Amino acid sequence: MSLTDDQEIHVPGLLSRYVRLQTGVKAHYSTSGESGPAVVLLHGGIPGSSGSAGFRYMAPFLGAHGFRVYCPDFPGFGLTEDPGRFYAYGQGGQVDFLQDFVNAVALDTFCLGGNSMGCQNTVNYVVAHPERVERFAVIAGMIGDLVTRDEMRAVDNRAKNGPLPGSGGTYDGSETMMRAMIESMVVDPSGVTDELVTMRTAAANRNREYYDANMGRVLRPTDPDELLRLTTTGRLDRISIPGIAMFGDKDVLYAVEAAHLQEDALPKVQFFYPENTGHQGQTDRPELHNQVFLEFFRDGKVSWETAQAAGISTRRAPHPDLVDVPADALSAR
């Protein structure tokens, strides 16, 4: 991979685009695929994150398999420019940015997915605009106040139970720390190339002031009106939109037991626990995550073979509406 004129990594099948939102914000996004149903993929939230960094494997794969894929850079990330800070008011601002983005690129309905902060933004958008989302799929993140961050941390008994490296204002602007941050999120660091580190470091440093000013409100919203607006309790657990969740067994940010709390709170969502997978599963084990997302977004169900490879949860019976479960497997549970 090499950097483009936009200082993006060059990924075959992934194009760099801009769109002007109604607020005047210049939103950058990566896109793949020329026709077919729309998919929107949302990146994570550590410094240097972006649509291309988070979904450089999945977006071209889905684009080559009949989808139009959009990976926007949220304000404070990647190449999106929000100098007036129109969206710098926490998770609510991110939901509003996403709504303005999908309107600007003329997406009426779409499948939605995200990792980490992108998981949180996915569920927030689903409960705010359910009429726009056909299906949703999330990877390793928060689900709002239905299961809180504190509850997820409380069940983590591992010795390593501190903040993700580089979060909380400790990022020092160096490529050395950027590499350490990225490598901490995956089991296999072979995909952490020099070009990726350079791109993410430049993006993090370019957006550092915006990031530092806004991410505290994103991680822990405190405004009572925003909390009421963003609540997922009694909403996400009752939603009729089909959804799946993937959570790696070697996630550094939250233990698998935290995902079990989410699974218990979301009886309509099918959970998967892929083995040898870190916090950013879609870049750690791309072939597996690509196939799960493809089958679910294309067919509405994950095949039984893929579901088993992805570590389908054995904590409860599989959802026959979300997984193509053989009759003998269903009756055996």
Side-chain angles (χ1 to χ4, degrees):
M1 295 181 182
S2 59
L3 296 184
T4 67
D5 291 342
D6 274 346
Q7 295 302 295
E8 287 262 288
I9 50 176
H10 173 69
V11 180
L14 195 64
L15 302 177
S16 175
R17 294 286 184 263
Y18 292 89
V19 64
R20 186 75 65 180
L21 306 187
Q22 64 174 0
T23 53
V25 167
K26 184 179 180 182
H28 177 263
Y29 63 102
S30 299
T31 186
S32 185
E34 298 180 0
S35 61
V39 170
V40 180
L41 300 174
L42 309 181
H43 63 76
I46 71 167
S49 297
S50 67
S52 61
F55 290 97
R56 62 192 182 276
Y57 300 125
M58 184 177 289
F61 177 84
L62 294 179
H65 285 80
F67 289 96
R68 289 175 295 126
V69 187
Y70 301 80
C71 307
D73 297 349
F74 279 86
F77 297 91
L79 294 167
T80 287
E81 299 175 11
D82 182 12
R85 297 192 179 180
F86 284 99
Y87 300 105
Y89 48 97
Q91 293 179 23
Q94 293 181 331
V95 170
D96 292 340
F97 167 82
L98 181 56
Q99 176 73 342
D100 289 346
F101 172 78
V102 295
N103 285 341
V105 295
L107 302 184
D108 295 327
T109 61
F110 46 90
C111 293
L112 183 62
N115 167 235
S116 194
M117 184 185 79
C119 168
Q120 179 71 78
N121 283 329
T122 293
V123 300
N124 284 344
Y125 188 87
V126 165
V127 298
H129 303 284
E131 74 284 355
R132 306 292 287 271
V133 182
E134 297 175 2
R135 301 182 184 94
F136 70 94
V138 294
I139 303 170
M142 295 285 300
I143 59 170
D145 59 3
L146 189 59
V147 177
T148 68
R149 183 183 304 276
D150 290 341
E151 289 171 325
M152 293 177 69
R153 298 296 264 178
V155 298
D156 190 343
N157 296 316
R158 299 172 301 182
K160 185 178 181 180
N161 191 20
L164 189 67
S167 65
T170 61
Y171 169 65
D172 66 4
S174 70
E175 289 197 0
T176 299
M177 177 167 275
M178 179 59 68
R179 180 178 291 277
M181 289 163 52
I182 304 170
E183 290 183 349
S184 75
M185 294 188 296
V186 296
V187 174
D188 179 9
S190 63
V192 183
T193 64
D194 292 343
E195 291 84 1
L196 178 66
V197 172
T198 297
M199 179 189 77
R200 290 188 63 138
T201 302
N205 292 341
R206 182 171 56 247
N207 292 297
R208 194 164 182 180
E209 182 180 355
Y210 193 112
Y211 184 96
D212 289 344
N214 190 45
M215 281 306 289
R217 290 189 288 261
V218 170
L219 293 172
R220 289 190 177 273
T222 58
D223 180 83
D225 293 331
E226 184 182 32
L227 289 170
L228 180 62
R229 174 192 176 194
L230 296 172
T231 185
T232 54
T233 301
R235 302 170 74 193
L236 185 63
D237 46 333
R238 297 174 60 188
I239 207 88
S240 62
I241 301 168
I244 62 173
M246 304 182 73
F247 200 103
D249 66 339
K250 291 182 171 55
D251 193 301
V252 298
L253 191 54
Y254 299 110
V256 170
E257 289 78 9
H260 293 169
L261 296 179
Q262 295 183 336
E263 183 177 11
D264 292 341
L266 294 172
K268 297 180 180 180
V269 174
Q270 177 64 61
F271 274 69
F272 300 87
Y273 300 103
E275 295 181 348
N276 298 314
T277 302
H279 185 66
Q280 199 176 77
Q282 78 276 14
T283 61
D284 210 5
R285 296 190 63 191
E287 294 84 1
L288 175 64
H289 288 69
N290 290 353
Q291 190 65 28
V292 170
F293 273 56
L294 171 65
E295 292 179 6
F296 183 62
F297 287 161
R298 181 191 63 198
D299 307 326
K301 288 187 176 184
V302 180
S303 70
W304 186 238
E305 179 181 6
T306 300
Q308 289 181 298
I312 185 171
S313 176
T314 59
R315 301 180 67 247
R316 64 187 183 199
H319 284 273
D321 292 337
L322 304 175
V323 179
D324 193 8
V325 188
D328 56 346
L330 193 60
S331 61
R333 291 174 179 259

